[in-house]
PDB file of all heavy atoms in Angstrom:
ATOM      1  N   LEU E  53      -0.233   8.725  -5.889  1.00 94.00           N
ATOM      2  CA  LEU E  53      -0.786   9.862  -6.627  1.00 94.00           C
ATOM      3  C   LEU E  53      -1.506  10.823  -5.690  1.00 94.00           C
ATOM      4  O   LEU E  53      -1.419  12.046  -5.849  1.00 94.00           O
ATOM      5  CB  LEU E  53      -1.737   9.364  -7.717  1.00 94.00           C
ATOM      6  CG  LEU E  53      -1.102   8.666  -8.922  1.00 94.00           C
ATOM      7  CD1 LEU E  53      -2.175   8.146  -9.872  1.00 94.00           C
ATOM      8  CD2 LEU E  53      -0.151   9.603  -9.669  1.00 94.00           C
ATOM      9  N   MET E  54      -2.205  10.285  -4.708  1.00 93.00           N
ATOM     10  CA  MET E  54      -2.883  11.136  -3.731  1.00 93.00           C
ATOM     11  C   MET E  54      -1.868  11.902  -2.883  1.00 93.00           C
ATOM     12  O   MET E  54      -2.072  13.073  -2.563  1.00 93.00           O
ATOM     13  CB  MET E  54      -3.784  10.277  -2.833  1.00 93.00           C
ATOM     14  CG  MET E  54      -4.942   9.634  -3.562  1.00 93.00           C
ATOM     15  SD  MET E  54      -5.813   8.419  -2.545  1.00 93.00           S
ATOM     16  CE  MET E  54      -6.533   9.481  -1.304  1.00 93.00           C
ATOM     17  N   ALA E  55      -0.774  11.238  -2.503  1.00 92.00           N
ATOM     18  CA  ALA E  55       0.246  11.904  -1.699  1.00 92.00           C
ATOM     19  C   ALA E  55       0.938  13.026  -2.459  1.00 92.00           C
ATOM     20  O   ALA E  55       1.455  13.977  -1.845  1.00 92.00           O
ATOM     21  CB  ALA E  55       1.274  10.884  -1.216  1.00 92.00           C
ATOM     22  N   SER E  56       0.973  12.923  -3.789  1.00 91.00           N
ATOM     23  CA  SER E  56       1.636  13.970  -4.582  1.00 91.00           C
ATOM     24  C   SER E  56       0.802  15.236  -4.715  1.00 91.00           C
ATOM     25  O   SER E  56       1.310  16.273  -5.150  1.00 91.00           O
ATOM     26  CB  SER E  56       1.960  13.426  -5.974  1.00 91.00           C
ATOM     27  OG  SER E  56       0.762  13.135  -6.688  1.00 91.00           O
ATOM     28  N   ILE E  57      -0.476  15.191  -4.351  1.00 91.00           N
ATOM     29  CA  ILE E  57      -1.324  16.382  -4.481  1.00 91.00           C
ATOM     30  C   ILE E  57      -0.951  17.424  -3.433  1.00 91.00           C
ATOM     31  O   ILE E  57      -0.844  18.619  -3.724  1.00 91.00           O
ATOM     32  CB  ILE E  57      -2.811  15.980  -4.363  1.00 91.00           C
ATOM     33  CG1 ILE E  57      -3.216  15.122  -5.567  1.00 91.00           C
ATOM     34  CG2 ILE E  57      -3.697  17.219  -4.288  1.00 91.00           C
ATOM     35  CD1 ILE E  57      -4.644  14.635  -5.511  1.00 91.00           C
ATOM     36  N   SER E  58      -0.751  16.975  -2.193  1.00 89.00           N
ATOM     37  CA  SER E  58      -0.432  17.899  -1.112  1.00 89.00           C
ATOM     38  C   SER E  58       0.535  17.233  -0.148  1.00 89.00           C
ATOM     39  O   SER E  58       0.420  16.020   0.139  1.00 89.00           O
ATOM     40  CB  SER E  58      -1.711  18.328  -0.372  1.00 89.00           C
ATOM     41  OG  SER E  58      -1.393  19.124   0.755  1.00 89.00           O
ATOM     42  N   SER E  59       1.466  18.017   0.371  1.00 87.00           N
ATOM     43  CA  SER E  59       2.447  17.481   1.302  1.00 87.00           C
ATOM     44  C   SER E  59       1.925  17.393   2.731  1.00 87.00           C
ATOM     45  O   SER E  59       2.577  16.805   3.594  1.00 87.00           O
ATOM     46  CB  SER E  59       3.708  18.354   1.279  1.00 87.00           C
ATOM     47  OG  SER E  59       3.396  19.694   1.662  1.00 87.00           O
ATOM     48  N   SER E  60       0.772  17.971   2.996  1.00 87.00           N
ATOM     49  CA  SER E  60       0.219  17.968   4.351  1.00 87.00           C
ATOM     50  C   SER E  60      -0.779  16.841   4.582  1.00 87.00           C
ATOM     51  O   SER E  60      -1.374  16.770   5.669  1.00 87.00           O
ATOM     52  CB  SER E  60      -0.455  19.304   4.648  1.00 87.00           C
ATOM     53  OG  SER E  60      -1.528  19.528   3.745  1.00 87.00           O
ATOM     54  N   LEU E  61      -0.981  15.982   3.606  1.00 90.00           N
ATOM     55  CA  LEU E  61      -1.915  14.875   3.788  1.00 90.00           C
ATOM     56  C   LEU E  61      -1.340  13.849   4.755  1.00 90.00           C
ATOM     57  O   LEU E  61      -0.145  13.530   4.724  1.00 90.00           O
ATOM     58  CB  LEU E  61      -2.209  14.210   2.444  1.00 90.00           C
ATOM     59  CG  LEU E  61      -3.077  15.008   1.473  1.00 90.00           C
ATOM     60  CD1 LEU E  61      -3.122  14.327   0.115  1.00 90.00           C
ATOM     61  CD2 LEU E  61      -4.498  15.167   2.032  1.00 90.00           C
ATOM     62  N   LEU E  62      -2.204  13.321   5.618  1.00 89.00           N
ATOM     63  CA  LEU E  62      -1.786  12.306   6.573  1.00 89.00           C
ATOM     64  C   LEU E  62      -1.582  10.965   5.883  1.00 89.00           C
ATOM     65  O   LEU E  62      -2.106  10.722   4.779  1.00 89.00           O
ATOM     66  CB  LEU E  62      -2.826  12.184   7.688  1.00 89.00           C
ATOM     67  CG  LEU E  62      -3.086  13.449   8.522  1.00 89.00           C
ATOM     68  CD1 LEU E  62      -4.197  13.195   9.532  1.00 89.00           C
ATOM     69  CD2 LEU E  62      -1.811  13.902   9.221  1.00 89.00           C
ATOM     70  N   VAL E  63      -0.842  10.101   6.555  1.00 91.00           N
ATOM     71  CA  VAL E  63      -0.574   8.779   5.982  1.00 91.00           C
ATOM     72  C   VAL E  63      -1.861   7.974   5.850  1.00 91.00           C
ATOM     73  O   VAL E  63      -2.044   7.213   4.903  1.00 91.00           O
ATOM     74  CB  VAL E  63       0.459   8.029   6.851  1.00 91.00           C
ATOM     75  CG1 VAL E  63       0.706   6.623   6.311  1.00 91.00           C
ATOM     76  CG2 VAL E  63       1.763   8.801   6.905  1.00 91.00           C
ATOM     77  N   ARG E  64      -2.777   8.169   6.780  1.00 91.00           N
ATOM     78  CA  ARG E  64      -4.034   7.410   6.719  1.00 91.00           C
ATOM     79  C   ARG E  64      -4.895   7.823   5.526  1.00 91.00           C
ATOM     80  O   ARG E  64      -5.760   7.066   5.093  1.00 91.00           O
ATOM     81  CB  ARG E  64      -4.818   7.603   8.012  1.00 91.00           C
ATOM     82  CG  ARG E  64      -5.351   9.006   8.202  1.00 91.00           C
ATOM     83  CD  ARG E  64      -6.149   9.138   9.485  1.00 91.00           C
ATOM     84  NE  ARG E  64      -6.773  10.442   9.589  1.00 91.00           N
ATOM     85  CZ  ARG E  64      -7.515  10.830  10.633  1.00 91.00           C
ATOM     86  NH1 ARG E  64      -7.679  10.003  11.649  1.00 91.00           N
ATOM     87  NH2 ARG E  64      -8.061  12.039  10.651  1.00 91.00           N
ATOM     88  N   ASP E  65      -4.679   9.068   5.030  1.00 91.00           N
ATOM     89  CA  ASP E  65      -5.464   9.554   3.900  1.00 91.00           C
ATOM     90  C   ASP E  65      -4.890   9.120   2.554  1.00 91.00           C
ATOM     91  O   ASP E  65      -5.538   9.300   1.522  1.00 91.00           O
ATOM     92  CB  ASP E  65      -5.550  11.082   3.943  1.00 91.00           C
ATOM     93  CG  ASP E  65      -6.281  11.577   5.182  1.00 91.00           C
ATOM     94  OD1 ASP E  65      -7.204  10.869   5.638  1.00 91.00           O
ATOM     95  OD2 ASP E  65      -5.921  12.650   5.705  1.00 91.00           O
ATOM     96  N   THR E  66      -3.687   8.582   2.549  1.00 93.00           N
ATOM     97  CA  THR E  66      -3.069   8.075   1.309  1.00 93.00           C
ATOM     98  C   THR E  66      -2.679   6.607   1.540  1.00 93.00           C
ATOM     99  O   THR E  66      -1.519   6.308   1.835  1.00 93.00           O
ATOM    100  CB  THR E  66      -1.828   8.900   0.957  1.00 93.00           C
ATOM    101  OG1 THR E  66      -0.918   8.852   2.066  1.00 93.00           O
ATOM    102  CG2 THR E  66      -2.200  10.343   0.686  1.00 93.00           C
ATOM    103  N   PRO E  67      -3.610   5.704   1.422  1.00 93.00           N
ATOM    104  CA  PRO E  67      -3.382   4.309   1.864  1.00 93.00           C
ATOM    105  C   PRO E  67      -2.533   3.474   0.901  1.00 93.00           C
ATOM    106  O   PRO E  67      -2.924   2.379   0.490  1.00 93.00           O
ATOM    107  CB  PRO E  67      -4.804   3.758   1.984  1.00 93.00           C
ATOM    108  CG  PRO E  67      -5.585   4.527   0.988  1.00 93.00           C
ATOM    109  CD  PRO E  67      -4.995   5.901   0.951  1.00 93.00           C
ATOM    110  N   PHE E  68      -1.363   3.984   0.542  1.00 95.00           N
ATOM    111  CA  PHE E  68      -0.446   3.158  -0.235  1.00 95.00           C
ATOM    112  C   PHE E  68       0.080   1.997   0.603  1.00 95.00           C
ATOM    113  O   PHE E  68       0.478   0.958   0.065  1.00 95.00           O
ATOM    114  CB  PHE E  68       0.721   4.007  -0.749  1.00 95.00           C
ATOM    115  CG  PHE E  68       1.492   4.712   0.327  1.00 95.00           C
ATOM    116  CD1 PHE E  68       2.535   4.085   0.985  1.00 95.00           C
ATOM    117  CD2 PHE E  68       1.173   6.018   0.683  1.00 95.00           C
ATOM    118  CE1 PHE E  68       3.248   4.731   1.984  1.00 95.00           C
ATOM    119  CE2 PHE E  68       1.886   6.668   1.682  1.00 95.00           C
ATOM    120  CZ  PHE E  68       2.917   6.022   2.340  1.00 95.00           C
ATOM    121  N   TRP E  69       0.067   2.161   1.928  1.00 95.00           N
ATOM    122  CA  TRP E  69       0.530   1.107   2.829  1.00 95.00           C
ATOM    123  C   TRP E  69      -0.360  -0.127   2.741  1.00 95.00           C
ATOM    124  O   TRP E  69       0.124  -1.256   2.879  1.00 95.00           O
ATOM    125  CB  TRP E  69       0.566   1.631   4.269  1.00 95.00           C
ATOM    126  CG  TRP E  69      -0.554   2.552   4.606  1.00 95.00           C
ATOM    127  CD1 TRP E  69      -0.576   3.900   4.452  1.00 95.00           C
ATOM    128  CD2 TRP E  69      -1.829   2.197   5.151  1.00 95.00           C
ATOM    129  NE1 TRP E  69      -1.780   4.418   4.865  1.00 95.00           N
ATOM    130  CE2 TRP E  69      -2.560   3.397   5.307  1.00 95.00           C
ATOM    131  CE3 TRP E  69      -2.414   0.997   5.528  1.00 95.00           C
ATOM    132  CZ2 TRP E  69      -3.861   3.417   5.815  1.00 95.00           C
ATOM    133  CZ3 TRP E  69      -3.706   1.010   6.042  1.00 95.00           C
ATOM    134  CH2 TRP E  69      -4.417   2.203   6.177  1.00 95.00           C
ATOM    135  N   ALA E  70      -1.645   0.088   2.509  1.00 95.00           N
ATOM    136  CA  ALA E  70      -2.547  -1.061   2.338  1.00 95.00           C
ATOM    137  C   ALA E  70      -2.206  -1.840   1.074  1.00 95.00           C
ATOM    138  O   ALA E  70      -2.206  -3.077   1.069  1.00 95.00           O
ATOM    139  CB  ALA E  70      -3.999  -0.582   2.294  1.00 95.00           C
ATOM    140  N   GLY E  71      -1.893  -1.132  -0.002  1.00 95.00           N
ATOM    141  CA  GLY E  71      -1.521  -1.809  -1.244  1.00 95.00           C
ATOM    142  C   GLY E  71      -0.223  -2.577  -1.121  1.00 95.00           C
ATOM    143  O   GLY E  71      -0.081  -3.670  -1.673  1.00 95.00           O
ATOM    144  N   ILE E  72       0.750  -2.018  -0.373  1.00 95.00           N
ATOM    145  CA  ILE E  72       2.029  -2.713  -0.197  1.00 95.00           C
ATOM    146  C   ILE E  72       1.826  -4.013   0.568  1.00 95.00           C
ATOM    147  O   ILE E  72       2.402  -5.056   0.231  1.00 95.00           O
ATOM    148  CB  ILE E  72       3.027  -1.785   0.518  1.00 95.00           C
ATOM    149  CG1 ILE E  72       3.388  -0.597  -0.388  1.00 95.00           C
ATOM    150  CG2 ILE E  72       4.288  -2.549   0.915  1.00 95.00           C
ATOM    151  CD1 ILE E  72       4.262   0.437   0.278  1.00 95.00           C
ATOM    152  N   ILE E  73       0.994  -3.980   1.608  1.00 95.00           N
ATOM    153  CA  ILE E  73       0.733  -5.199   2.385  1.00 95.00           C
ATOM    154  C   ILE E  73       0.042  -6.248   1.526  1.00 95.00           C
ATOM    155  O   ILE E  73       0.392  -7.439   1.558  1.00 95.00           O
ATOM    156  CB  ILE E  73      -0.099  -4.851   3.629  1.00 95.00           C
ATOM    157  CG1 ILE E  73       0.727  -3.987   4.581  1.00 95.00           C
ATOM    158  CG2 ILE E  73      -0.572  -6.114   4.334  1.00 95.00           C
ATOM    159  CD1 ILE E  73      -0.041  -3.498   5.787  1.00 95.00           C
ATOM    160  N   VAL E  74      -0.931  -5.838   0.726  1.00 95.00           N
ATOM    161  CA  VAL E  74      -1.632  -6.796  -0.140  1.00 95.00           C
ATOM    162  C   VAL E  74      -0.678  -7.363  -1.191  1.00 95.00           C
ATOM    163  O   VAL E  74      -0.757  -8.547  -1.538  1.00 95.00           O
ATOM    164  CB  VAL E  74      -2.849  -6.115  -0.788  1.00 95.00           C
ATOM    165  CG1 VAL E  74      -3.512  -7.050  -1.801  1.00 95.00           C
ATOM    166  CG2 VAL E  74      -3.867  -5.715   0.271  1.00 95.00           C
ATOM    167  N   CYS E  75       0.241  -6.556  -1.688  1.00 95.00           N
ATOM    168  CA  CYS E  75       1.232  -7.066  -2.651  1.00 95.00           C
ATOM    169  C   CYS E  75       2.142  -8.110  -2.011  1.00 95.00           C
ATOM    170  O   CYS E  75       2.472  -9.129  -2.643  1.00 95.00           O
ATOM    171  CB  CYS E  75       2.066  -5.908  -3.201  1.00 95.00           C
ATOM    172  SG  CYS E  75       1.215  -4.854  -4.395  1.00 95.00           S
ATOM    173  N   LEU E  76       2.554  -7.883  -0.769  1.00 94.00           N
ATOM    174  CA  LEU E  76       3.385  -8.874  -0.074  1.00 94.00           C
ATOM    175  C   LEU E  76       2.630 -10.185   0.116  1.00 94.00           C
ATOM    176  O   LEU E  76       3.191 -11.278  -0.063  1.00 94.00           O
ATOM    177  CB  LEU E  76       3.830  -8.319   1.279  1.00 94.00           C
ATOM    178  CG  LEU E  76       4.810  -7.138   1.242  1.00 94.00           C
ATOM    179  CD1 LEU E  76       5.099  -6.644   2.655  1.00 94.00           C
ATOM    180  CD2 LEU E  76       6.099  -7.529   0.532  1.00 94.00           C
ATOM    181  N   VAL E  77       1.352 -10.091   0.451  1.00 93.00           N
ATOM    182  CA  VAL E  77       0.530 -11.302   0.574  1.00 93.00           C
ATOM    183  C   VAL E  77       0.438 -12.020  -0.765  1.00 93.00           C
ATOM    184  O   VAL E  77       0.532 -13.249  -0.843  1.00 93.00           O
ATOM    185  CB  VAL E  77      -0.868 -10.938   1.104  1.00 93.00           C
ATOM    186  CG1 VAL E  77      -1.756 -12.172   1.185  1.00 93.00           C
ATOM    187  CG2 VAL E  77      -0.777 -10.296   2.473  1.00 93.00           C
ATOM    188  N   ALA E  78       0.263 -11.250  -1.836  1.00 93.00           N
ATOM    189  CA  ALA E  78       0.142 -11.856  -3.166  1.00 93.00           C
ATOM    190  C   ALA E  78       1.439 -12.536  -3.594  1.00 93.00           C
ATOM    191  O   ALA E  78       1.413 -13.619  -4.188  1.00 93.00           O
ATOM    192  CB  ALA E  78      -0.258 -10.792  -4.186  1.00 93.00           C
ATOM    193  N   TYR E  79       2.591 -11.923  -3.294  1.00 91.00           N
ATOM    194  CA  TYR E  79       3.873 -12.539  -3.658  1.00 91.00           C
ATOM    195  C   TYR E  79       4.060 -13.870  -2.935  1.00 91.00           C
ATOM    196  O   TYR E  79       4.519 -14.849  -3.532  1.00 91.00           O
ATOM    197  CB  TYR E  79       5.022 -11.591  -3.326  1.00 91.00           C
ATOM    198  CG  TYR E  79       5.144 -10.422  -4.265  1.00 91.00           C
ATOM    199  CD1 TYR E  79       5.439  -9.142  -3.797  1.00 91.00           C
ATOM    200  CD2 TYR E  79       4.952 -10.589  -5.630  1.00 91.00           C
ATOM    201  CE1 TYR E  79       5.541  -8.069  -4.663  1.00 91.00           C
ATOM    202  CE2 TYR E  79       5.052  -9.515  -6.502  1.00 91.00           C
ATOM    203  CZ  TYR E  79       5.342  -8.258  -6.013  1.00 91.00           C
ATOM    204  OH  TYR E  79       5.434  -7.203  -6.888  1.00 91.00           O
ATOM    205  N   LEU E  80       3.703 -13.917  -1.658  1.00 89.00           N
ATOM    206  CA  LEU E  80       3.800 -15.176  -0.925  1.00 89.00           C
ATOM    207  C   LEU E  80       2.848 -16.216  -1.506  1.00 89.00           C
ATOM    208  O   LEU E  80       3.209 -17.389  -1.660  1.00 89.00           O
ATOM    209  CB  LEU E  80       3.487 -14.945   0.550  1.00 89.00           C
ATOM    210  CG  LEU E  80       3.496 -16.198   1.438  1.00 89.00           C
ATOM    211  CD1 LEU E  80       4.869 -16.844   1.447  1.00 89.00           C
ATOM    212  CD2 LEU E  80       3.047 -15.861   2.851  1.00 89.00           C
ATOM    213  N   GLY E  81       1.631 -15.788  -1.853  1.00 85.00           N
ATOM    214  CA  GLY E  81       0.677 -16.723  -2.450  1.00 85.00           C
ATOM    215  C   GLY E  81       1.128 -17.242  -3.798  1.00 85.00           C
ATOM    216  O   GLY E  81       0.975 -18.430  -4.095  1.00 85.00           O
ATOM    217  N   LEU E  82       1.691 -16.378  -4.624  1.00 86.00           N
ATOM    218  CA  LEU E  82       2.178 -16.827  -5.930  1.00 86.00           C
ATOM    219  C   LEU E  82       3.328 -17.814  -5.774  1.00 86.00           C
ATOM    220  O   LEU E  82       3.400 -18.819  -6.496  1.00 86.00           O
ATOM    221  CB  LEU E  82       2.627 -15.620  -6.757  1.00 86.00           C
ATOM    222  CG  LEU E  82       1.519 -14.703  -7.281  1.00 86.00           C
ATOM    223  CD1 LEU E  82       2.111 -13.474  -7.947  1.00 86.00           C
ATOM    224  CD2 LEU E  82       0.618 -15.454  -8.253  1.00 86.00           C
ATOM    225  N   PHE E  83       4.233 -17.547  -4.846  1.00 83.00           N
ATOM    226  CA  PHE E  83       5.345 -18.471  -4.624  1.00 83.00           C
ATOM    227  C   PHE E  83       4.837 -19.822  -4.129  1.00 83.00           C
ATOM    228  O   PHE E  83       5.283 -20.881  -4.593  1.00 83.00           O
ATOM    229  CB  PHE E  83       6.321 -17.877  -3.609  1.00 83.00           C
ATOM    230  CG  PHE E  83       7.476 -18.784  -3.293  1.00 83.00           C
ATOM    231  CD1 PHE E  83       8.543 -18.914  -4.173  1.00 83.00           C
ATOM    232  CD2 PHE E  83       7.492 -19.521  -2.115  1.00 83.00           C
ATOM    233  CE1 PHE E  83       9.600 -19.763  -3.889  1.00 83.00           C
ATOM    234  CE2 PHE E  83       8.543 -20.364  -1.816  1.00 83.00           C
ATOM    235  CZ  PHE E  83       9.600 -20.487  -2.703  1.00 83.00           C
ATOM    236  N   MET E  84       3.897 -19.798  -3.198  1.00 79.00           N
ATOM    237  CA  MET E  84       3.387 -21.040  -2.639  1.00 79.00           C
ATOM    238  C   MET E  84       2.576 -21.831  -3.665  1.00 79.00           C
ATOM    239  O   MET E  84       2.732 -23.046  -3.800  1.00 79.00           O
ATOM    240  CB  MET E  84       2.515 -20.742  -1.422  1.00 79.00           C
ATOM    241  CG  MET E  84       1.921 -21.976  -0.758  1.00 79.00           C
ATOM    242  SD  MET E  84       0.742 -21.542   0.532  1.00 79.00           S
ATOM    243  CE  MET E  84      -0.589 -20.847  -0.466  1.00 79.00           C
ATOM    244  N   LEU E  85       1.710 -21.155  -4.412  1.00 72.00           N
ATOM    245  CA  LEU E  85       0.800 -21.844  -5.321  1.00 72.00           C
ATOM    246  C   LEU E  85       1.483 -22.290  -6.605  1.00 72.00           C
ATOM    247  O   LEU E  85       1.055 -23.246  -7.235  1.00 72.00           O
ATOM    248  CB  LEU E  85      -0.382 -20.931  -5.648  1.00 72.00           C
ATOM    249  CG  LEU E  85      -1.256 -20.564  -4.447  1.00 72.00           C
ATOM    250  CD1 LEU E  85      -2.250 -19.489  -4.837  1.00 72.00           C
ATOM    251  CD2 LEU E  85      -1.995 -21.789  -3.933  1.00 72.00           C
TER     252      LEU E  85
END
């Protein structure tokens, strides 16, 4: 949603990458547990 406001925003200012990494960790944890 933050990235959709302006096309000139840097990747560090729209941390969707942090959410993707946490989701991958959660998927591995759900499979293991």
Side-chain angles (χ1 to χ4, degrees):
L53 289 176
M54 294 170 67
S56 65
I57 293 178
S58 174
S59 60
S60 61
L61 288 172
L62 300 177
V63 177
R64 68 179 186 181
D65 297 327
T66 57
F68 57 86
W69 37 271
I72 293 175
I73 293 175
V74 174
C75 286
L76 292 177
V77 178
Y79 286 139
L80 178 62
L82 289 174
F83 178 78
M84 180 187 69
L85 297 171

